[in-house]
Amino acid sequence: MAPKLRILSPKRNKRLQTGWEGFFPYYAGFPELFARELLQSAKLQSGAVILDPWNGSGTTTYAASSLGLTSVGIDLNPAMIIVARARLLPPSEADHLQPLAATIVSHAHSALPTLHPNDALLCWFKPSAASFIRGIEQNIRRSLVGSMTKSPEGVHLDRISGTAATLYVALFAVCRKLVAPFRSSNPTWLRIPKQTEARIAVSRQTVARCFEENVRDMSAALASKFDADTPRAGECEINLSDTVSMKLDPGSVDFVLTSPPYCTRIDYTAATRIELAVLGPLLSTDARALGKQMIGSTQVPGISIDIDEKWGKTCARFLETLQKHPSKASGGYYYRTHLDYFDKMSRSIGRMSEALKPGSRAVLVVQDSYYKDVHNDLPKIISEIAGRHGLSLKRREDFHLRSMSDINPGRQSYKRPSGATESVLCFAK
Ligand SMILES: C[S@@+](CC[C@H](N)C(=O)[O-])C[C@H]1O[C@@H](n2cnc3c(N)ncnc32)[C@H](O)[C@@H]1O
């Protein structure tokens, strides 16, 4: 019999994110302790492969790697690929970070790049500030993004070194701090100022100091993680890929731990707008096209989609109620974006299931939500979809939480319970 899984609350707890962990905040992430306990309790054989197809900030791959387990993390958002790779940087690299940051800053001071007029940094920063930030970025790229990372199709973000990724994360944090005036209570939203005068002016010295301080703090936090008794880090691959079309060898995965994108009209690319702006010269797709490709996209799909019987009865009932809802655009825009969500989700779960070995397990953390006053019982829907793809639900643990859907402005106008239920669904193939 498979060992019983230890399931802690998957609710994000900022207080637990201290030290090195504190540098990888992600509103959509689950806690490292949740992932670590769960993976440890699975008692996987050495050489077993763990997959997180929606790896986000890389909590699963980080926990697996620190337990000495092999893992593969996938995400479609380039910013999250960088974050997940940085998180894996070994403590032995801590000493190199500060001298590298000092050299990068000094090169940025000596030659400022000419900004492209469409540089996305200009959405929030005045030209002189944007140009210095780009200068730091350009120097990270020139000195640390090696030829291995480049090909005729562009830069392979998933091959970027942990050191380069860490310096990018330090620069992300500088920009996040500086654009704080454009944030609202919704963690996924970053406003772009309409008036150019409202854009941020900041001196080069301030940007440089902030960057070097971040690197110093990251280096100290990383160094303090060193523990001679820690097992050798497990091998890990972080891949930039779309789960709808991901290519994984059939039967190559021993365990899945993941949390699929929410169905609450969250644009995962909007939440990382500033990070994507920093990464601009490394990206081959623009943020809008990327947003459309995401599961949970707020853009209407370009193709017509029909309900598939693989989505199950609960999903069909939910979509029917949504389509008939009297509120504006329910039968049009909202219906079509929900069809897009379930279509992508079902195809992705199909691919994930094919990659799993017979007898292996998959744990999915899924949150329910409301469309106006209509309950979207996503844990049940995902269980039914997974069932149609050969995964049977063996256990379900529910946790109540204050959720993203509470932040949604429509909440007050409709009668519905506050918060959301986050379910940990355990499947077996
Ligand atoms: C709920 S978050 C996962 C958070 C993760 N468990 C953590 O601890 O950081 C879902 C992730 O799915 C990614 N995503 C959305 N659509 C995707 C797609 N089609 N293919 C791959 N990843 C996708 C988003 O970028 C987001 O990072």
Side-chain angles (χ1 to χ4, degrees):
M1 218 174 62
K4 188 165 189 241
L5 298 175
R6 183 161 148 71
I7 298 178
L8 303 182
S9 169
K11 186 173 173 237
R12 197 179 144 220
N13 185 341
K14 274 193 202 156
R15 273 182 299 126
L16 289 180
Q17 276 196 298
T18 54
W20 181 242
E21 278 300 284
F23 293 98
F24 306 94
Y26 191 32
Y27 71 92
F30 46 52
E32 195 259 333
L33 192 64
F34 162 82
R36 169 184 274 272
E37 291 287 318
L38 200 138
L39 291 176
Q40 214 161 17
S41 65
K43 298 198 166 46
L44 295 160
Q45 309 250 314
S46 90
V49 176
I50 296 156
L51 167 71
D52 188 339
W54 295 289
N55 194 39
S57 61
T59 317
T60 302
T61 41
Y62 176 71
S65 172
S66 52
L67 290 169
L69 298 163
T70 306
S71 60
V72 178
I74 290 172
D75 207 281
L76 183 55
N77 186 343
M80 299 329 290
I81 297 294
I82 297 285
V83 170
R85 283 198 70 83
R87 205 166 174 178
L88 293 167
L89 191 70
S92 55
E93 298 296 311
D95 288 350
H96 308 317
L97 293 172
Q98 274 183 279
L100 273 171
T103 312
I104 282 163
V105 165
S106 107
H107 286 166
H109 274 299
S110 57
L112 281 186
T114 316
L115 271 191
H116 190 283
N118 293 335
D119 194 310
L121 289 172
L122 289 168
C123 294
W124 297 277
F125 297 102
K126 294 236 159 84
S128 61
S131 162
F132 189 65
I133 296 171
R134 182 58 68 218
I136 295 186
E137 186 281 320
Q138 192 182 65
N139 280 291
I140 301 177
R141 192 166 12 112
R142 287 192 176 155
S143 49
L144 295 165
V145 179
S147 53
M148 280 282 290
T149 328
K150 294 177 188 141
S151 82
E153 305 97 63
V155 173
H156 290 275
L157 281 180
D158 33 18
R159 288 192 215 146
I160 255 175
S161 73
T163 305
T166 304
L167 294 177
Y168 269 112
V169 169
L171 190 57
F172 291 166
V174 174
C175 295
R176 281 205 152 242
K177 190 171 168 193
L178 292 171
V179 299
F182 302 117
R183 293 213 164 273
S184 69
S185 58
N186 180 341
T188 69
W189 196 244
L190 179 63
R191 194 167 51 82
I192 295 179
K194 286 200 182 79
Q195 264 100 29
T196 47
E197 312 82 73
R199 289 184 298 179
I200 293 160
V202 57
S203 71
R204 291 184 198 188
Q205 286 69 22
T206 305
V207 173
R209 196 184 55 239
C210 196
F211 175 67
E212 290 198 82
E213 278 172 8
N214 285 348
V215 174
R216 183 199 62 205
D217 295 349
M218 289 181 92
S219 159
L222 184 62
S224 72
K225 237 168 54 85
F226 180 78
D227 174 356
D229 297 333
T230 310
R232 228 177 109 233
E235 274 177 45
C236 180
E237 236 182 72
I238 304 282
N239 294 333
L240 181 69
S241 174
D242 183 347
T243 50
V244 174
S245 53
M246 64 184 170
K247 290 187 181 71
L248 292 166
D249 290 336
S252 59
V253 171
D254 297 86
F255 196 91
V256 165
L257 172 58
T258 193
S259 63
Y262 303 146
C263 187
T264 45
R265 304 196 59 248
I266 288 176
D267 181 336
Y268 283 95
T269 51
T272 53
R273 265 179 168 177
I274 194 72
E275 287 83 352
L276 291 170
V278 172
L279 293 176
L282 293 169
L283 305 181
S284 48
T285 350
D286 69 67
R288 194 172 159 75
L290 193 64
K292 193 162 186 164
Q293 213 181 336
M294 290 271 160
I295 302 181
S297 168
T298 53
Q299 296 175 55
V300 175
I303 45 158
S304 120
I305 300 167
D306 294 321
I307 296 184
D308 186 333
E309 57 83 28
K310 278 209 170 74
W311 305 354
K313 283 192 187 129
T314 309
C315 184
R317 268 197 305 273
F318 168 69
L319 285 170
E320 194 187 329
T321 319
L322 185 155
Q323 193 183 20
K324 289 185 187 147
H325 199 277
S327 63
K328 193 167 168 240
S330 288
Y333 170 79
Y334 290 108
Y335 182 62
R336 290 175 65 193
T337 48
H338 277 82
L339 284 174
D340 183 51
Y341 176 90
F342 292 115
D343 177 46
K344 287 173 177 166
M345 188 55 81
S346 173
R347 290 199 276 152
S348 300
I349 291 178
R351 286 191 179 251
M352 181 187 90
S353 175
E354 269 169 34
L356 277 163
K357 284 185 183 147
S360 58
R361 294 191 278 179
V363 177
L364 274 67
V365 179
V366 182
Q367 206 180 103
D368 75 347
S369 61
Y370 275 81
Y371 172 75
K372 317 288 181 194
D373 50 351
V374 187
H375 186 213
N376 180 353
D377 192 350
L378 198 61
K380 192 159 182 220
I381 295 177
I382 296 278
S383 302
E384 289 177 7
I385 295 177
R388 304 287 171 117
H389 288 287
L391 299 174
S392 51
L393 185 68
K394 297 290 179 196
R395 182 175 163 199
R396 171 177 166 160
E397 298 287 338
D398 286 349
F399 298 84
H400 187 76
L401 48 124
R402 185 184 173 273
S403 80
M404 295 301 304
S405 50
D406 276 8
I407 295 160
N408 204 318
R411 198 182 104 66
Q412 284 79 12
S413 352
Y414 292 96
K415 255 189 139 180
R416 61 195 201 200
S418 69
T421 300
E422 189 139 58
S423 304
V424 182
L425 307 171
C426 308
F427 298 94
K429 183 164 172 187

